[in-house]
């Protein structure tokens, strides 16, 4: 271990005398510290793996941690070790404490789309059609849950009629979730926190299970996650938190960098160890990053340094407009790749907003340069996948109204909108789920015998399929379900052509293969367990797939945690970076952190670009250079653009790179 760690990393791994904050700068080897500390606790300190928990924010990060610990210890020696996301830990707690929480087995996890659909329906019933405000309401409810504010408290905090109305929707939303035996994404943290607060014996049980807690990306925790950490750690204070206030860029979804400062207050014995050696970037890139972030107020001071050499100047390209910006950047990229014989995946184009990608996509397609657009359509967003997932959710939890509505007439079962409206009105009166209402004799008085019979037949079929899934191999049950509903025939009948139908059915087969792989890894898992895992996978890892040899196009938010040899950070203009909203709301510090994250993604070269004019909503507007450009060390910037000549040698090289690209486009594929 000593050969792999620098002195600060080694000190962080070995410190066990109290709570520890590891202030880990970008590229400073924080994952190595966490994984080595887990190995140290198990192999050197005789802490049983089952008493250690490490939490982070994405499945990808937790998988990487598990793999690294496995390499250090071997799989046998890490049995029982808990390495997961915050939300997976919360899900485990909920699953094991169902009775105390008033939930039944097979509960559903509502994603953002499910939650929004429920909120829209509640707002329609309460206030008429206010669908345009549902997004705002969803945001507000999520904010309350992230601050562990229950509906009664939200009512108490309301200052006007709108606040009271929002609190009423929040109360109705929570009530309906419980009626449907469902939780939303925010509940996965909030419910354990409320449970531990109200049931000391349950908290003691979990504190006895988790003797040492390690938390990654601590600056991204919200108020509820911080409370969960405090509860689990308790008086034992056996905690290692790893974070960097300079990389806190998620305040819009509740992250609170002040949680780093709160550690000082809540744990007076807190020790702070700084990791300042960067293993990623050249000295010049780090100098620029330090200069920029130095303009922000700091909870803890630190300066990144590197022994990887000073590196190339940081290029700044001035362009006439956004079309020329895309042309310049793509041509620069082609030229650099040709000259250095690099791979496409060595390059990333980063931007503040998704709308900025369009011009770059057009140019990259034009030059037949493969690219990967982060934030594209998720596999789980395809209609056919949502259909089958809704069936599986309903088998696991028949009270899941959203799943019921989605598939009750897909494929068609002669259960039309009129029948569903009557069913919904009846279930509201009875305060039941739609599924439960299908079996009530009173429902017959609200619709025709035929409509009632169709609903009853469907509900009984769901029970028989759920019984099959529970009492036999769940994967076989899934395959039987897909055959039973004749989904492939339905696709052929409802798609424009057979090619589209085949592609959709291939996606369904891929889903069943995925479930099969998961079941092989955990043979004891029920269908409900597998479905919960897939839903969390979708919410947390929408972009977690193999990209191949492609140029990466992504927002600065999506780029966090990644690194590339060559980075183009585009749109360095006022009202773009920093964003107009942050200027108006005076939250420039977070935008500066966002620019800092972008700069520190670069390993070898960094190129910045800005335009004099940019098209916005169809209009051309004048642009001002970003204030962040002035905050960079000017002696390290090399400006190019209008009025700056390119020497003949470079012109020749660029001509050659274009010729090489042309030849590649004209050469027939083998």
């Amino acid at each position: 271990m000593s050969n792999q760690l620098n002195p600060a990393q080694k000190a962080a791994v070995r410190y066990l005398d109290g709570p520890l904050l590891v202030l880990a700068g970008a590229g400073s080897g924080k994952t190595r510290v966490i994984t080595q500390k887990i190995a140290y606790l198990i192999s050197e300190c005789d802490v049983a793996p089952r008493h250690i928990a490490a939490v982070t924010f994405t499945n990808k990060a937790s998988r990487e941690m598990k793999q690294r610990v496995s390499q250090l210890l071997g799989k046998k020696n890490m049995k029982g070790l808990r390495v997961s996301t915050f939300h997976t830990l919360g899900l485990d707690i909920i699953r094991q404490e169902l009775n105390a929480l008033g939930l039944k087995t097979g509960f559903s996890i509502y994603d953002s789309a499910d939650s929004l659909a429920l909120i829209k329906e509640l707002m329609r019933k309460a206030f008429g059609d206010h669908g345009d405000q549902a997004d705002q309401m969803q945001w507000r409810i999520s904010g309350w849950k992230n601050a562990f504010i229950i509906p009664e408290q939200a009512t108490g905090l309301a200052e006007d009629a709108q606040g009271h109305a929002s609190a009423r929707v929040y109360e109705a939303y929570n009530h309906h979730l419980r009626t449907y035996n469902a939780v939303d994404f925010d509940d996965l943290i909030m419910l354990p926190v409320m449970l531990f607060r109200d049931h000391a014996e349950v908290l003691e049980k979990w504190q006895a299970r988790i003797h040492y807690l390690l938390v990654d990306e601590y600056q991204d925790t919200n108020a509820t996650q911080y409370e969960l950490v405090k509860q689990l750690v308790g008086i034992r204070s056996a905690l290692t938190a790893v974070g960097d206030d300079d990389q806190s860029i998620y305040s819009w979804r509740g992250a609170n960098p002040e949680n780093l400062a709160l550690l000082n207050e809540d744990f007076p014995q807190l020790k702070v160890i700084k990791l300042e050696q960067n293993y990623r970037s050249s000295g010049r890139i780090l100098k620029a990053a330090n200069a920029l972030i130095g303009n922000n107020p700091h909870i803890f001071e630190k300066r990144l340094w590197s022994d990887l050499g000073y590196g190339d100047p940081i290029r700044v390209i001035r362009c006439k407009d956004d079309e020329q910006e895309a042309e310049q950047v793509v041509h620069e990229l082609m030229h650099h790749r040709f000259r250095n014989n690099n791979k496409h995946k060595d390059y990333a184009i980063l931007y503040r907003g998704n709308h900025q990608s369009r011009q770059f996509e057009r140019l990259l397609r034009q030059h037949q340069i493969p690219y990967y657009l982060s934030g594209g359509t998720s596999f789980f967003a395809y209609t056919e996948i949502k259909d089958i997932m809704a069936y599986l959710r309903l088998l696991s939890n028949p009270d899941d109204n959203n799943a019921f509505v989605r598939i009750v007439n897909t494929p068609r079962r002669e259960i039309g909108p009129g029948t569903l409206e009557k069913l919904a009105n009846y279930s509201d009166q009875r305060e039941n789920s739609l599924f439960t209402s299908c079996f009530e004799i009173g429902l017959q008085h609200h619709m025709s015998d035929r409509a009632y019979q169709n609903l009853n037949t469907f509900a009984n079929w769901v029970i028989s399929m759920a019984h099959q899934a529970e009492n036999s191999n769940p994967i076989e049950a899934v395959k039987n379900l897909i055959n039973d509903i004749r989904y492939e025939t339905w696709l052929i009948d409802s798609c424009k052509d057979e090619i589209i139908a085949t592609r959709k059915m291939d996606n369904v087969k891929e889903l069943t293969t995925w479930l099969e792989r998961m079941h092989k890894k955990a043979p004891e898992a029920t269908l409900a367990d597998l479905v919960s895992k897939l839903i969390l996978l979708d919410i947390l890892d929408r972009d977690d797939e193999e990209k191949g040899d492609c140029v990466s196009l992504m927002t600065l938010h999506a780029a966090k945690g990644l690194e590339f040899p060559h980075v183009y950070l585009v749109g360095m203009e006022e009202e773009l970076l920093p964003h107009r909203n942050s200027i108006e709301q005076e939250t420039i510090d977070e935008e500066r952190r966002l620019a800092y994250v972008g700069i520190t993604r670069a390993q070898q070269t960094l190129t910045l670009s800005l335009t004099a004019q940019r098209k916005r909503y169809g209009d051309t507007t004048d642009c001002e250079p970003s204030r962040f450009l002035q905050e960079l060390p000017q002696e390290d910037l090399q400006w190019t653009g209008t009025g700056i000549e390119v020497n003949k040698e470079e012109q020749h090289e660029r001509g050659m790179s274009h010729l090489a690209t042309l030849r590649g486009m004209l050469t027939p594929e083998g």
Side-chain angles (χ1 to χ4, degrees):
M1 183 179 74
S2 56
N3 297 331
Q4 298 174 305
L5 302 173
N6 66 38
Q9 291 172 330
K10 194 184 295 184
V13 166
R14 299 194 169 208
Y15 185 78
L16 295 173
D17 294 338
L20 170 68
L21 170 61
V22 181
L23 200 66
S28 63
K30 68 180 177 66
T31 307
R32 181 187 293 178
V33 166
I34 294 173
T35 53
Q36 292 274 9
K37 186 151 195 171
I38 292 169
Y40 181 70
L41 285 165
I42 294 168
S43 60
E44 306 277 330
C45 306
D46 295 324
V47 180
R50 70 179 183 278
H51 290 316
I52 300 170
V55 288
T56 185
F57 283 85
T58 66
N59 285 315
K60 184 181 177 184
S62 68
R63 270 199 305 276
E64 186 186 345
M65 276 190 211
K66 275 182 197 164
Q67 284 165 1
R68 291 207 199 178
V69 175
S70 178
Q71 285 164 6
L72 291 168
L73 293 175
K75 282 190 178 176
K76 283 183 187 173
N77 298 321
M78 53 185 281
K79 195 174 179 186
L81 174 69
R82 185 188 294 275
V83 180
S84 71
T85 63
F86 264 103
H87 293 89
T88 302
L89 173 62
L91 178 60
D92 286 348
I93 294 168
I94 291 170
R95 272 198 189 128
Q96 293 182 47
E97 308 298 341
L98 287 175
N99 292 339
L101 289 165
L103 287 164
K104 294 177 282 188
T105 54
F107 62 88
S108 296
I109 301 170
Y110 272 27
D111 67 9
S112 181
D114 291 321
S115 296
L116 188 62
L118 176 55
I119 289 166
K120 277 182 178 174
E121 180 62 18
L122 293 172
M123 290 181 76
R124 185 185 65 76
K125 285 175 182 170
F127 313 115
D129 191 4
H130 282 258
D132 56 328
Q133 292 178 30
D135 283 315
Q136 201 176 336
M137 184 67 72
Q138 183 180 34
W139 196 253
R140 181 173 276 196
I141 289 171
S142 180
W144 276 325
K145 290 194 176 191
N146 286 335
F148 59 100
I149 293 169
I150 59 175
E152 292 83 350
Q153 290 170 307
T155 303
L157 292 168
E159 294 177 351
D160 52 25
Q162 190 180 6
H164 281 285
S166 298
R168 282 204 312 277
V169 173
Y170 179 24
E171 187 174 15
Y173 171 75
N174 265 8
H175 173 74
H176 279 74
L177 281 179
R178 297 302 164 264
T179 302
Y180 305 155
N181 193 33
V183 298
D184 65 18
F185 192 57
D186 297 317
D187 283 334
L188 294 178
I189 310 295
M190 185 182 182
L191 289 179
V193 166
M194 305 300 281
L195 176 71
F196 289 160
R197 193 182 69 178
D198 299 336
H199 296 81
E201 73 286 357
V202 179
L203 175 58
E204 283 169 20
K205 181 171 78 178
W206 280 88
Q207 286 176 338
R209 284 182 187 174
I210 298 174
H211 293 183
Y212 204 97
L213 182 65
L214 301 100
V215 184
D216 187 23
E217 303 286 10
Y218 204 81
Q219 77 283 347
D220 292 338
T221 55
N222 58 37
T224 320
Q225 287 158 340
Y226 180 66
E227 191 63 23
L228 182 63
V229 168
K230 273 203 307 180
Q231 288 173 330
L232 287 171
V233 168
I235 55 169
R236 192 184 282 123
S237 296
L239 168 70
T240 291
V242 181
D244 180 7
D245 52 335
D246 289 335
Q247 294 188 77
S248 182
I249 56 173
Y250 297 118
S251 67
W252 49 276
R253 68 181 190 202
N256 190 355
E258 287 77 21
N259 285 349
L260 290 166
L262 280 177
L263 279 173
N264 256 336
E265 295 172 26
D266 292 324
F267 300 97
Q269 279 76 45
L270 182 75
K271 182 175 177 66
V272 178
I273 294 175
K274 299 177 187 178
L275 304 185
E276 296 173 294
Q277 183 176 359
N278 174 286
Y279 293 93
R280 175 188 298 159
S281 307
S282 70
R284 201 187 301 254
I285 289 168
L286 295 180
K287 179 183 168 187
N290 287 331
L292 177 71
I293 208 66
N295 291 279
N296 270 8
H298 278 82
I299 301 164
F300 304 99
E301 292 294 334
K302 70 175 186 312
R303 276 189 85 74
L304 294 178
W305 62 274
S306 164
D307 58 10
L308 298 175
Y310 198 52
D312 295 341
I314 295 166
R315 301 192 68 209
V316 186
I317 307 174
R318 289 183 294 202
C319 307
K320 182 180 67 178
D321 54 29
D322 43 341
E323 281 188 31
Q324 192 192 50
E325 179 185 45
E327 286 169 12
Q328 284 282 102
V329 166
V330 171
H331 291 164
E332 292 266 343
L333 188 154
M334 287 164 56
H335 170 233
H336 190 274
R337 182 175 167 271
F338 172 77
R339 192 175 64 195
N340 296 285
N341 197 26
N342 291 334
K343 294 183 182 299
H344 289 115
K345 67 181 179 184
D346 294 338
Y347 297 87
I349 299 171
L350 310 181
Y351 36 79
R352 177 64 177 83
N354 279 309
H355 66 278
Q356 290 172 258
S357 72
R358 290 174 201 135
Q359 298 282 11
F360 297 99
E361 287 185 77
R362 181 177 62 80
L363 262 292
L364 290 167
R365 280 198 303 270
Q366 196 174 304
H367 290 287
Q368 295 195 358
I369 297 170
Y371 66 89
Y372 172 80
L373 182 66
S374 180
T377 305
S378 160
F379 176 73
F380 292 91
Y382 293 124
T383 304
E384 61 276 15
I385 300 303
K386 286 181 93 67
D387 285 347
I388 302 303
M389 286 295 289
Y391 271 103
L392 303 188
R393 280 167 52 181
L394 200 63
L395 295 198
S396 308
N397 173 22
D399 292 326
D400 188 332
N401 271 19
N402 279 19
F404 183 99
V405 169
R406 182 172 187 95
I407 49 87
V408 67
N409 204 38
T410 303
R412 291 190 184 92
R413 296 183 178 88
E414 294 183 34
I415 301 171
T419 301
L420 284 176
E421 190 176 350
K422 288 167 186 170
L423 174 64
N425 290 336
Y426 178 80
S427 73
D428 276 353
Q429 288 168 22
R430 299 285 296 160
E431 292 199 338
N432 281 335
S433 68
L434 298 174
F435 181 82
T436 301
S437 298
C438 289
F439 295 99
E440 294 201 352
I441 296 168
L443 181 63
Q444 291 182 75
H445 305 306
H446 294 263
M447 59 182 64
S448 70
D449 287 345
R450 184 179 176 82
Y452 175 76
Q453 197 54 52
N454 287 341
L455 280 171
N456 201 256
T457 301
F458 171 70
N460 277 304
W461 174 83
V462 170
I463 285 176
S464 70
M465 293 307 299
H467 183 74
Q468 191 185 130
E470 202 176 327
N471 294 292
S472 64
N473 183 308
I475 307 305
E476 288 308 310
V478 171
K479 289 177 180 175
N480 289 343
L481 179 146
I482 293 164
N483 288 331
D484 210 46
I485 62 175
R486 301 180 69 224
Y487 194 73
E488 188 164 12
T489 305
W490 154 256
L491 287 175
I492 291 165
D493 292 344
S494 57
C495 288
K496 276 192 297 186
D497 58 54
E498 208 168 319
I499 294 168
I500 295 171
T502 302
R503 192 178 68 233
K504 285 176 177 284
M505 197 60 206
D506 284 344
N507 285 338
V508 171
K509 287 172 184 169
E510 189 180 331
L511 178 66
T512 55
T513 304
W514 202 342
L515 283 163
E516 215 158 359
R517 281 201 304 268
M518 285 167 62
H519 193 247
K520 274 179 186 168
K521 285 182 185 173
E524 73 292 344
T526 63
L527 182 62
D529 294 336
L530 298 175
V531 170
S532 293
K533 233 175 188 177
L534 279 180
I535 290 168
L536 271 191
L537 190 69
D538 175 34
I539 295 170
L540 293 170
D541 284 338
R542 288 187 184 273
D543 292 321
D544 187 23
E545 58 232 34
E546 189 56 49
K547 302 173 182 67
D549 187 23
C550 300
V551 173
S552 290
L553 266 65
M554 61 180 68
T555 64
L556 289 163
H557 284 102
K560 187 167 174 287
L562 303 176
E563 56 186 41
F564 304 92
H566 311 288
V567 167
Y568 294 86
L569 178 42
V570 301
M572 291 291 291
E573 298 140 31
E574 288 290 298
E575 301 199 354
L576 198 49
L577 185 64
H579 195 273
R580 181 189 303 172
N581 292 347
S582 73
I583 296 170
E584 289 169 358
Q585 294 164 18
E586 298 183 352
T587 54
I588 299 293
D589 290 352
E590 176 143 342
E591 292 290 299
R592 190 175 281 111
R593 293 195 291 267
L594 200 52
Y596 172 84
V597 164
I599 289 169
T600 53
R601 298 314 92 198
Q603 294 170 298
Q604 296 168 29
T605 70
L606 174 65
T607 304
L608 313 173
S609 69
L610 67 156
T611 67
Q613 293 185 321
R614 189 175 288 276
K615 275 186 190 152
R616 282 185 186 145
Y617 312 110
D619 296 326
T620 300
T621 56
D622 292 336
C623 302
E624 233 183 283
S626 169
R627 68 191 71 188
F628 300 151
L629 287 168
Q630 295 303 313
E631 294 174 1
L632 299 176
Q634 299 303 302
E635 66 275 14
D636 291 300
L637 305 184
Q638 186 183 85
W639 291 77
T640 63
T642 313
I644 298 171
E645 290 184 17
V646 178
N647 66 46
K648 287 186 178 178
E649 188 183 337
E650 195 169 330
Q651 277 182 337
H652 175 70
E653 278 185 356
R654 290 187 185 198
M656 292 297 288
S657 70
H658 287 299
L659 274 173
T661 304
L662 261 173
R663 283 193 201 102
M665 290 163 67
L666 296 170
T667 303
E669 290 184 12

